[in-house]
Amino acid sequence: MNPLTNLSPRVRAWLGFGLGAVVLFAAAPALLTDFRLSLLAKYLCFAIVAVGIGLAWGRGGLLTLGQGVFFGLGGYAMAMHLKLADAGEGNMPDFMELYGQLDELPAWWAPFANPVFALAATVLLPMLVAFGLGSLVFRRRVRGAYFAILSQALAAAMVILLIGQQGTTGGTNGLTDIEGFFGYDLDDPVNQRMVYFIIAGVLLALLALTRQLMHSRYGELLVAVRDSEERVRFLGYNPANVKLVAYVVAAGMAGLAGALFVPAVGIISPALIGIVPSIEFVIGVAVGGRAALLGPVLGAVAVAWAKTALSERFPGTWTYLQGAMFVLVVAFLPGGLASLWGLLKRRREATPPAPEVGERVLVKEVAA
Amino acid sequence: MSETAGGLSIRGLRVVFDGFVAVDGVDLDVAPGDLRFLIGPNGAGKTTLVDAVTGLVKATGSARFGGQELLGRDVHRIARLGVGRTFQTAALFEELTVLQNLDIAAGAGRSPWTMLRRRGAVPDDVAYALETIGLTERRDVLAGTLAHGQKQWLEIGMLLVQNARLLLLDEPVAGMSHEEREATGELLGKVAGERTVVVIEHDMDFLRRFAHTVTVLHAGRVLSEGTVAQVQSDPKVQEVYLGHAAGHDEPVAQGAET
């Protein structure tokens, strides 16, 4: 008998967070080269997006294929501030000087010179957009595949907008060559390490927040809305509000992830936030296990790591492998890798499943 | 809003689907605390009537409960006025436990702060409902794993903690064993009195045992109304409906009706 199963869920959760902290804060920095650690920092940003998708999709049934929009809003908000800081007070960012289309800084750039405004905007701007969109969409009972397509269209629209406004957004190139991060030189490996630690800390904090949400009464209600929206309505709740909360929280997380991605990688561009990256976020979550707390994190990191590793060795085949992985998981392991543990345990003990909020068959939902 | 059982008062209720008149000017009064059975052949408009009252389909006319007009309101607003319903097929949250199902049903008025925290102890009304529906022992199993009869009881339990003062039950005993039917009937008898209960049912034995009053619908209209004896002796009813079933159980046509 596994001694871990005898512990209370709360104690196990603390142990899990302790283990996660040791891996992220001690083991990874000790074992990985600076280059690999900075890659891990990037993967952890994707993992933060994945935590939000796990909440919205895994628990709330909102298949959001457009998290890139919120990731991008957070990323651009942060990058705009860092570009302005790099340029120095009163100067325009380098790319604006280069393109030479503008005589002075556009008015909507100006507030991002303020670090507090920019930091708040990385989270609040995505949440605000999600609130506006969600209010319109959920009240009109748009759901399932229609919601997925709509969210994806938004990602496409955002990319087109960014590319079209080259003079003020950097166009296809995005905002590049970011050198400093609140006074720290990002070329210095020590500061890169600090950025990694910030990202790891934020990930752990958001996991704790999400765990609390999932175990709260709201979390139970969210699953109820996912499984039987109509029934929830007959109990006197407005399901639109329940979904809206999950969608807005997921958007805030994606925004924060985008903001942290910028100092970790040094660039934000339309190619990083469009339809393809938005779908890749979801693939990571599906592979890891969308309804579990840690599934999305592990899936996002695993898929991003596999992408780097396999693209290095077999360039050109990654897309096919990723597609195959997604199809296999959806067809044979709808609960993702996170459900393997439960499956093995169940097989060994041959007892009925534990009363845990589980996973529904993915195919059913995509088809709906 | 008064906490006592209210009466249901329907006037000139009419539901039209693409030109097909499903409910055609129904007038219906259910007194506070009544246990009313709603019967009629398939297609008589029974379920559609409940759908209209609970806001699921659009209707014209009037349906008032406890003095409040129900028609034209959103489904969740009608629910908050104290109107609860069940469906022909049990509609539970199958991946949540019995306790979680009841707790959600009890919580429509909770503050955001309460919602964002964990459930501490089992709320009193939930514990009482668990006892009433006989599922205290099974409160931590997933609702999806319950036996058919237990699922229906859980649905009724959810209406109780939801604090519904008008319960609209759509074929609650369909597919149940004889013992389960008896237990359900007794439960409904207990619930009625302080609450108003309307039951759509095909099972004539069950109706004779437990109905206080009966309304017969036929082709979207009220055909007859009264006590069980009055309705049974009504020649119109014998002709269109009970005539075929006198003395037998009508075969239970679960899901056959829309």
Side-chain angles (χ1 to χ4, degrees), chain B residues 63-109:
Chain B
R64 300 175 77 81
F65 173 66
Q68 301 261 16
E69 178 62 51
L70 303 178
L71 299 190
R73 290 181 196 257
D74 286 340
V75 166
H76 67 278
R77 303 240 174 251
I78 294 174
R80 288 192 180 190
L81 291 176
V83 179
R85 72 171 294 184
T86 65
F87 296 84
Q88 284 174 18
T89 48
L92 299 164
F93 309 119
E94 305 222 325
E95 300 208 7
L96 297 175
T97 65
V98 170
L99 176 60
Q100 286 171 327
N101 269 274
L102 286 169
D103 189 62
I104 286 173

Short mmCIF file of all heavy atoms in Angstrom, two decimals, chain B residues 63-109:
data_model
loop_
_atom_site.label_atom_id
_atom_site.label_comp_id
_atom_site.label_asym_id
_atom_site.label_seq_id
_atom_site.Cartn_x
_atom_site.Cartn_y
_atom_site.Cartn_z
N ALA B 63 -48.85 32.60 -16.68
CA ALA B 63 -48.62 31.57 -15.67
C ALA B 63 -48.06 32.26 -14.45
O ALA B 63 -46.98 32.83 -14.49
CB ALA B 63 -47.63 30.53 -16.20
N ARG B 64 -48.86 32.26 -13.38
CA ARG B 64 -48.43 32.96 -12.17
C ARG B 64 -48.23 31.96 -11.06
O ARG B 64 -48.99 31.01 -10.90
CB ARG B 64 -49.49 33.99 -11.75
CG ARG B 64 -49.75 35.03 -12.81
CD ARG B 64 -50.89 35.93 -12.40
NE ARG B 64 -50.49 36.92 -11.42
CZ ARG B 64 -49.86 38.05 -11.71
NH1 ARG B 64 -49.59 38.33 -12.97
NH2 ARG B 64 -49.52 38.89 -10.78
N PHE B 65 -47.16 32.19 -10.29
CA PHE B 65 -46.91 31.36 -9.12
C PHE B 65 -46.65 32.27 -7.94
O PHE B 65 -45.79 33.16 -8.02
CB PHE B 65 -45.72 30.42 -9.34
CG PHE B 65 -45.33 29.68 -8.11
CD1 PHE B 65 -46.19 28.73 -7.57
CD2 PHE B 65 -44.13 29.92 -7.48
CE1 PHE B 65 -45.85 28.04 -6.41
CE2 PHE B 65 -43.78 29.24 -6.32
CZ PHE B 65 -44.64 28.30 -5.78
N GLY B 66 -47.42 32.08 -6.87
CA GLY B 66 -47.28 32.93 -5.70
C GLY B 66 -47.45 34.40 -6.05
O GLY B 66 -46.75 35.24 -5.50
N GLY B 67 -48.30 34.68 -7.04
CA GLY B 67 -48.58 36.07 -7.41
C GLY B 67 -47.60 36.64 -8.43
O GLY B 67 -47.78 37.76 -8.90
N GLN B 68 -46.54 35.90 -8.79
CA GLN B 68 -45.54 36.42 -9.73
C GLN B 68 -45.77 35.83 -11.11
O GLN B 68 -45.95 34.62 -11.26
CB GLN B 68 -44.14 36.00 -9.27
CG GLN B 68 -43.78 36.50 -7.90
CD GLN B 68 -42.92 37.74 -7.96
OE1 GLN B 68 -42.85 38.38 -9.00
NE2 GLN B 68 -42.29 38.08 -6.86
N GLU B 69 -45.70 36.69 -12.13
CA GLU B 69 -45.81 36.20 -13.50
C GLU B 69 -44.51 35.47 -13.88
O GLU B 69 -43.42 35.99 -13.65
CB GLU B 69 -46.06 37.37 -14.45
CG GLU B 69 -46.14 36.99 -15.91
CD GLU B 69 -47.31 36.04 -16.22
OE1 GLU B 69 -48.44 36.34 -15.83
OE2 GLU B 69 -47.06 35.00 -16.84
N LEU B 70 -44.62 34.28 -14.43
CA LEU B 70 -43.44 33.51 -14.80
C LEU B 70 -43.06 33.67 -16.27
O LEU B 70 -41.88 33.70 -16.61
CB LEU B 70 -43.66 32.01 -14.52
CG LEU B 70 -44.03 31.65 -13.08
CD1 LEU B 70 -44.26 30.15 -12.97
CD2 LEU B 70 -42.93 32.07 -12.11
N LEU B 71 -44.07 33.79 -17.13
CA LEU B 71 -43.78 33.83 -18.56
C LEU B 71 -42.95 35.07 -18.89
O LEU B 71 -43.16 36.14 -18.32
CB LEU B 71 -45.07 33.86 -19.39
CG LEU B 71 -45.98 32.64 -19.23
CD1 LEU B 71 -47.10 32.68 -20.27
CD2 LEU B 71 -45.21 31.34 -19.34
N GLY B 72 -41.99 34.88 -19.81
CA GLY B 72 -41.16 36.00 -20.23
C GLY B 72 -39.91 36.17 -19.40
O GLY B 72 -39.07 37.00 -19.71
N ARG B 73 -39.77 35.41 -18.33
CA ARG B 73 -38.55 35.52 -17.53
C ARG B 73 -37.54 34.48 -17.97
O ARG B 73 -37.88 33.46 -18.55
CB ARG B 73 -38.86 35.28 -16.05
CG ARG B 73 -39.66 36.37 -15.39
CD ARG B 73 -39.86 36.01 -13.92
NE ARG B 73 -40.91 36.82 -13.32
CZ ARG B 73 -40.66 37.85 -12.51
NH1 ARG B 73 -39.44 38.20 -12.22
NH2 ARG B 73 -41.67 38.53 -11.98
N ASP B 74 -36.26 34.73 -17.64
CA ASP B 74 -35.20 33.76 -17.90
C ASP B 74 -35.40 32.54 -17.01
O ASP B 74 -35.92 32.64 -15.90
CB ASP B 74 -33.83 34.36 -17.62
CG ASP B 74 -33.41 35.34 -18.69
OD1 ASP B 74 -33.98 35.27 -19.80
OD2 ASP B 74 -32.53 36.19 -18.42
N VAL B 75 -34.88 31.40 -17.53
CA VAL B 75 -35.00 30.14 -16.79
C VAL B 75 -34.48 30.29 -15.36
O VAL B 75 -35.15 29.87 -14.40
CB VAL B 75 -34.22 29.04 -17.54
CG1 VAL B 75 -34.04 27.82 -16.65
CG2 VAL B 75 -34.95 28.64 -18.82
N HIS B 76 -33.30 30.88 -15.19
CA HIS B 76 -32.73 30.91 -13.84
C HIS B 76 -33.49 31.87 -12.93
O HIS B 76 -33.50 31.69 -11.71
CB HIS B 76 -31.23 31.21 -13.87
CG HIS B 76 -30.87 32.58 -14.34
ND1 HIS B 76 -30.80 32.92 -15.65
CD2 HIS B 76 -30.56 33.69 -13.63
CE1 HIS B 76 -30.45 34.19 -15.76
NE2 HIS B 76 -30.30 34.69 -14.56
N ARG B 77 -34.15 32.87 -13.53
CA ARG B 77 -34.94 33.80 -12.70
C ARG B 77 -36.22 33.10 -12.21
O ARG B 77 -36.64 33.30 -11.08
CB ARG B 77 -35.32 35.05 -13.49
CG ARG B 77 -34.12 35.75 -14.03
CD ARG B 77 -34.03 37.19 -13.51
NE ARG B 77 -32.79 37.77 -13.94
CZ ARG B 77 -31.77 38.03 -13.14
NH1 ARG B 77 -31.87 37.79 -11.83
NH2 ARG B 77 -30.65 38.55 -13.59
N ILE B 78 -36.80 32.30 -13.09
CA ILE B 78 -37.99 31.54 -12.68
C ILE B 78 -37.62 30.58 -11.56
O ILE B 78 -38.34 30.45 -10.56
CB ILE B 78 -38.58 30.79 -13.89
CG1 ILE B 78 -39.10 31.80 -14.92
CG2 ILE B 78 -39.69 29.84 -13.45
CD1 ILE B 78 -39.59 31.19 -16.21
N ALA B 79 -36.46 29.93 -11.71
CA ALA B 79 -36.01 29.00 -10.67
C ALA B 79 -35.87 29.73 -9.34
O ALA B 79 -36.23 29.20 -8.29
CB ALA B 79 -34.69 28.37 -11.08
N ARG B 80 -35.38 30.96 -9.39
CA ARG B 80 -35.18 31.71 -8.14
C ARG B 80 -36.49 32.14 -7.50
O ARG B 80 -36.50 32.50 -6.33
CB ARG B 80 -34.30 32.93 -8.39
CG ARG B 80 -32.87 32.55 -8.64
CD ARG B 80 -31.97 33.72 -8.58
NE ARG B 80 -30.60 33.29 -8.82
CZ ARG B 80 -29.55 34.06 -8.66
NH1 ARG B 80 -29.71 35.29 -8.24
NH2 ARG B 80 -28.34 33.62 -8.89
N LEU B 81 -37.56 32.13 -8.29
CA LEU B 81 -38.87 32.43 -7.71
C LEU B 81 -39.45 31.23 -6.98
O LEU B 81 -40.55 31.29 -6.45
CB LEU B 81 -39.84 32.90 -8.80
CG LEU B 81 -39.53 34.26 -9.41
CD1 LEU B 81 -40.50 34.56 -10.55
CD2 LEU B 81 -39.63 35.35 -8.35
N GLY B 82 -38.72 30.12 -6.99
CA GLY B 82 -39.18 28.96 -6.24
C GLY B 82 -39.83 27.88 -7.09
O GLY B 82 -40.59 27.06 -6.59
N VAL B 83 -39.54 27.89 -8.39
CA VAL B 83 -40.09 26.86 -9.26
C VAL B 83 -38.96 25.90 -9.64
O VAL B 83 -37.95 26.31 -10.20
CB VAL B 83 -40.68 27.49 -10.55
CG1 VAL B 83 -41.22 26.41 -11.47
CG2 VAL B 83 -41.76 28.49 -10.19
N GLY B 84 -39.14 24.62 -9.31
CA GLY B 84 -38.11 23.62 -9.63
C GLY B 84 -38.71 22.51 -10.46
O GLY B 84 -39.91 22.26 -10.40
N ARG B 85 -37.87 21.87 -11.27
CA ARG B 85 -38.41 20.80 -12.11
C ARG B 85 -37.41 19.66 -12.25
O ARG B 85 -36.22 19.84 -12.03
CB ARG B 85 -38.76 21.32 -13.50
CG ARG B 85 -37.54 21.63 -14.32
CD ARG B 85 -37.92 21.93 -15.75
NE ARG B 85 -38.49 20.78 -16.44
CZ ARG B 85 -38.83 20.77 -17.71
NH1 ARG B 85 -38.67 21.86 -18.44
NH2 ARG B 85 -39.32 19.69 -18.27
N THR B 86 -37.91 18.51 -12.64
CA THR B 86 -37.05 17.41 -13.05
C THR B 86 -37.40 17.06 -14.49
O THR B 86 -38.39 17.54 -15.04
CB THR B 86 -37.24 16.16 -12.19
OG1 THR B 86 -38.57 15.67 -12.39
CG2 THR B 86 -37.02 16.46 -10.73
N PHE B 87 -36.56 16.21 -15.08
CA PHE B 87 -36.74 15.83 -16.48
C PHE B 87 -37.04 14.33 -16.58
O PHE B 87 -36.80 13.58 -15.65
CB PHE B 87 -35.48 16.16 -17.27
CG PHE B 87 -35.19 17.63 -17.31
CD1 PHE B 87 -34.51 18.25 -16.26
CD2 PHE B 87 -35.62 18.41 -18.35
CE1 PHE B 87 -34.25 19.60 -16.28
CE2 PHE B 87 -35.37 19.77 -18.38
CZ PHE B 87 -34.68 20.36 -17.34
N GLN B 88 -37.54 13.94 -17.75
CA GLN B 88 -37.86 12.52 -17.95
C GLN B 88 -36.64 11.64 -17.73
O GLN B 88 -36.71 10.59 -17.12
CB GLN B 88 -38.42 12.30 -19.35
CG GLN B 88 -39.86 12.75 -19.45
CD GLN B 88 -40.39 12.68 -20.86
OE1 GLN B 88 -39.83 12.01 -21.71
NE2 GLN B 88 -41.47 13.37 -21.10
N THR B 89 -35.52 12.07 -18.29
CA THR B 89 -34.29 11.35 -18.01
C THR B 89 -33.55 12.14 -16.94
O THR B 89 -33.45 13.35 -17.03
CB THR B 89 -33.41 11.26 -19.27
OG1 THR B 89 -33.32 12.56 -19.84
CG2 THR B 89 -34.01 10.31 -20.28
N ALA B 90 -33.06 11.44 -15.93
CA ALA B 90 -32.41 12.11 -14.82
C ALA B 90 -31.30 13.02 -15.34
O ALA B 90 -30.49 12.60 -16.15
CB ALA B 90 -31.83 11.08 -13.86
N ALA B 91 -31.30 14.26 -14.92
CA ALA B 91 -30.28 15.22 -15.36
C ALA B 91 -29.48 15.63 -14.14
O ALA B 91 -29.68 16.69 -13.58
CB ALA B 91 -30.94 16.42 -16.02
N LEU B 92 -28.56 14.74 -13.74
CA LEU B 92 -27.71 15.04 -12.60
C LEU B 92 -26.34 15.43 -13.11
O LEU B 92 -26.04 15.28 -14.28
CB LEU B 92 -27.58 13.79 -11.73
CG LEU B 92 -28.89 13.27 -11.17
CD1 LEU B 92 -28.72 11.86 -10.68
CD2 LEU B 92 -29.34 14.17 -10.03
N PHE B 93 -25.50 15.90 -12.19
CA PHE B 93 -24.10 16.13 -12.55
C PHE B 93 -23.38 14.83 -12.21
O PHE B 93 -22.97 14.60 -11.09
CB PHE B 93 -23.56 17.33 -11.78
CG PHE B 93 -24.45 18.52 -11.91
CD1 PHE B 93 -25.04 19.10 -10.80
CD2 PHE B 93 -24.76 19.03 -13.17
CE1 PHE B 93 -25.89 20.18 -10.92
CE2 PHE B 93 -25.61 20.11 -13.31
CZ PHE B 93 -26.17 20.67 -12.18
N GLU B 94 -23.25 13.99 -13.22
CA GLU B 94 -22.86 12.61 -12.97
C GLU B 94 -21.43 12.48 -12.47
O GLU B 94 -21.08 11.50 -11.84
CB GLU B 94 -23.04 11.78 -14.24
CG GLU B 94 -24.46 11.90 -14.78
CD GLU B 94 -25.01 10.58 -15.25
OE1 GLU B 94 -24.23 9.79 -15.78
OE2 GLU B 94 -26.23 10.36 -15.07
N GLU B 95 -20.59 13.47 -12.79
CA GLU B 95 -19.19 13.38 -12.36
C GLU B 95 -18.96 14.05 -11.01
O GLU B 95 -17.83 14.20 -10.58
CB GLU B 95 -18.28 13.97 -13.43
CG GLU B 95 -18.44 13.23 -14.73
CD GLU B 95 -17.18 13.26 -15.58
OE1 GLU B 95 -16.15 13.75 -15.11
OE2 GLU B 95 -17.26 12.78 -16.71
N LEU B 96 -20.04 14.50 -10.40
CA LEU B 96 -19.93 15.04 -9.05
C LEU B 96 -20.61 14.07 -8.09
O LEU B 96 -21.44 13.25 -8.50
CB LEU B 96 -20.59 16.42 -8.97
CG LEU B 96 -19.96 17.52 -9.83
CD1 LEU B 96 -20.78 18.80 -9.74
CD2 LEU B 96 -18.53 17.79 -9.42
N THR B 97 -20.26 14.18 -6.81
CA THR B 97 -20.84 13.27 -5.84
C THR B 97 -22.27 13.69 -5.50
O THR B 97 -22.71 14.79 -5.84
CB THR B 97 -20.03 13.26 -4.53
OG1 THR B 97 -20.13 14.55 -3.94
CG2 THR B 97 -18.57 12.93 -4.79
N VAL B 98 -22.97 12.80 -4.81
CA VAL B 98 -24.33 13.09 -4.35
C VAL B 98 -24.33 14.38 -3.53
O VAL B 98 -25.15 15.28 -3.74
CB VAL B 98 -24.86 11.91 -3.52
CG1 VAL B 98 -26.17 12.27 -2.83
CG2 VAL B 98 -25.03 10.68 -4.41
N LEU B 99 -23.37 14.46 -2.62
CA LEU B 99 -23.28 15.64 -1.76
C LEU B 99 -23.04 16.91 -2.58
O LEU B 99 -23.67 17.94 -2.36
CB LEU B 99 -22.14 15.44 -0.76
CG LEU B 99 -21.82 16.62 0.17
CD1 LEU B 99 -23.02 16.98 1.01
CD2 LEU B 99 -20.63 16.29 1.05
N GLN B 100 -22.14 16.81 -3.56
CA GLN B 100 -21.83 17.99 -4.38
C GLN B 100 -23.06 18.41 -5.19
O GLN B 100 -23.34 19.60 -5.34
CB GLN B 100 -20.66 17.70 -5.32
CG GLN B 100 -19.31 17.66 -4.59
CD GLN B 100 -18.18 17.16 -5.47
OE1 GLN B 100 -18.38 16.32 -6.34
NE2 GLN B 100 -16.99 17.66 -5.24
N ASN B 101 -23.79 17.44 -5.72
CA ASN B 101 -25.01 17.75 -6.46
C ASN B 101 -25.99 18.54 -5.59
O ASN B 101 -26.53 19.56 -6.00
CB ASN B 101 -25.70 16.45 -6.91
CG ASN B 101 -25.24 15.99 -8.29
OD1 ASN B 101 -25.79 16.42 -9.30
ND2 ASN B 101 -24.22 15.15 -8.33
N LEU B 102 -26.19 18.05 -4.37
CA LEU B 102 -27.13 18.72 -3.47
C LEU B 102 -26.62 20.10 -3.06
O LEU B 102 -27.38 21.06 -2.98
CB LEU B 102 -27.38 17.87 -2.24
CG LEU B 102 -28.27 16.63 -2.47
CD1 LEU B 102 -28.21 15.71 -1.26
CD2 LEU B 102 -29.70 17.05 -2.75
N ASP B 103 -25.32 20.18 -2.82
CA ASP B 103 -24.75 21.43 -2.38
C ASP B 103 -24.88 22.50 -3.46
O ASP B 103 -25.15 23.67 -3.17
CB ASP B 103 -23.28 21.22 -2.01
CG ASP B 103 -22.68 22.43 -1.33
OD1 ASP B 103 -23.18 22.78 -0.25
OD2 ASP B 103 -21.76 23.04 -1.89
N ILE B 104 -24.69 22.10 -4.71
CA ILE B 104 -24.86 23.06 -5.80
C ILE B 104 -26.32 23.50 -5.89
O ILE B 104 -26.63 24.68 -6.04
CB ILE B 104 -24.40 22.44 -7.14
CG1 ILE B 104 -22.87 22.38 -7.16
CG2 ILE B 104 -24.93 23.23 -8.32
CD1 ILE B 104 -22.31 21.63 -8.34
N ALA B 105 -27.23 22.53 -5.74
CA ALA B 105 -28.65 22.87 -5.83
C ALA B 105 -29.04 23.84 -4.73
O ALA B 105 -29.93 24.68 -4.91
CB ALA B 105 -29.49 21.59 -5.73
N ALA B 106 -28.35 23.75 -3.58
CA ALA B 106 -28.72 24.59 -2.44
C ALA B 106 -28.11 25.99 -2.54
O ALA B 106 -28.44 26.85 -1.73
CB ALA B 106 -28.26 23.92 -1.14
N GLY B 107 -27.24 26.21 -3.54
CA GLY B 107 -26.37 27.38 -3.43
C GLY B 107 -26.63 28.56 -4.33
O GLY B 107 -25.78 29.44 -4.41
N ALA B 108 -27.79 28.63 -5.01
CA ALA B 108 -27.95 29.69 -6.01
C ALA B 108 -27.85 31.08 -5.40
O ALA B 108 -27.52 32.03 -6.10
CB ALA B 108 -29.27 29.53 -6.75
N GLY B 109 -28.11 31.21 -4.10
CA GLY B 109 -28.07 32.55 -3.51
C GLY B 109 -26.78 32.87 -2.80
O GLY B 109 -26.69 33.87 -2.10
#
